[in-house]
Amino acid sequence: MIPQPTPLALAYVRRYPWMPDREYGLLQQRLATAAQHAGYTLGAIHVEELPTDPRAFEALLDSVADLDIRAVIIPTKVHLGRWERRGSKYEQLRRSTSAEIIVLDPCT
């Protein structure tokens, strides 16, 4: 019997200028581990640099729709903005897709 492929998850990260490369590398590993623990394979990590906002987020939305992505992983809630605000990235993601949102550190 051929095993079923693991569903794909994407990630979204707002990378700030003061984030060292080493810290970003560790974050990538944590995202991949979280995907695996949730039963997914991590695909692309959409990285938003402050000057590019919101290009990476828009690319994430397109990818989720085009690839039938079931989950989006983020490091903290802050990466999708203030969830309670109208028009937040969280609201946009919820409105345009049914993907599960997995938060690595839900306390921040």
Side-chain angles (χ1 to χ4, degrees):
M1 177 182 248
I2 299 174
Q4 291 294 324
T6 307
L8 193 61
L10 300 179
Y12 177 76
V13 174
R14 292 191 70 185
R15 185 172 180 187
Y16 297 96
W18 57 85
M19 180 184 277
D21 290 339
R22 183 177 183 281
E23 182 180 334
Y24 179 65
L26 293 171
L27 177 58
Q28 289 174 316
Q29 291 174 350
R30 288 183 59 220
L31 292 166
T33 299
Q36 186 178 27
H37 284 144
Y40 297 99
T41 297
L42 182 62
I45 300 173
H46 293 265
V47 180
E48 195 79 75
E49 305 281 345
L50 292 180
T52 66
D53 194 9
R55 280 186 250 155
F57 182 72
E58 291 168 355
L60 170 73
L61 291 178
D62 290 343
S63 295
V64 169
D66 293 346
L67 301 173
D68 190 32
I69 299 299
R70 298 183 190 171
V72 173
I73 305 172
I74 57 174
T76 67
K77 288 182 171 185
V78 173
H79 289 258
L80 290 180
R82 296 189 56 181
W83 288 27
E84 72 280 1
R85 286 202 171 162
R86 292 188 111 192
S88 69
K89 290 177 179 165
Y90 171 77
E91 182 182 89
Q92 292 176 51
L93 186 60
R94 278 279 140 256
R95 187 180 50 224
S96 63
T97 131
S98 61
E100 172 186 11
I101 298 175
I102 300 170
V103 184
L104 288 182
D105 185 0
C107 297
T108 56

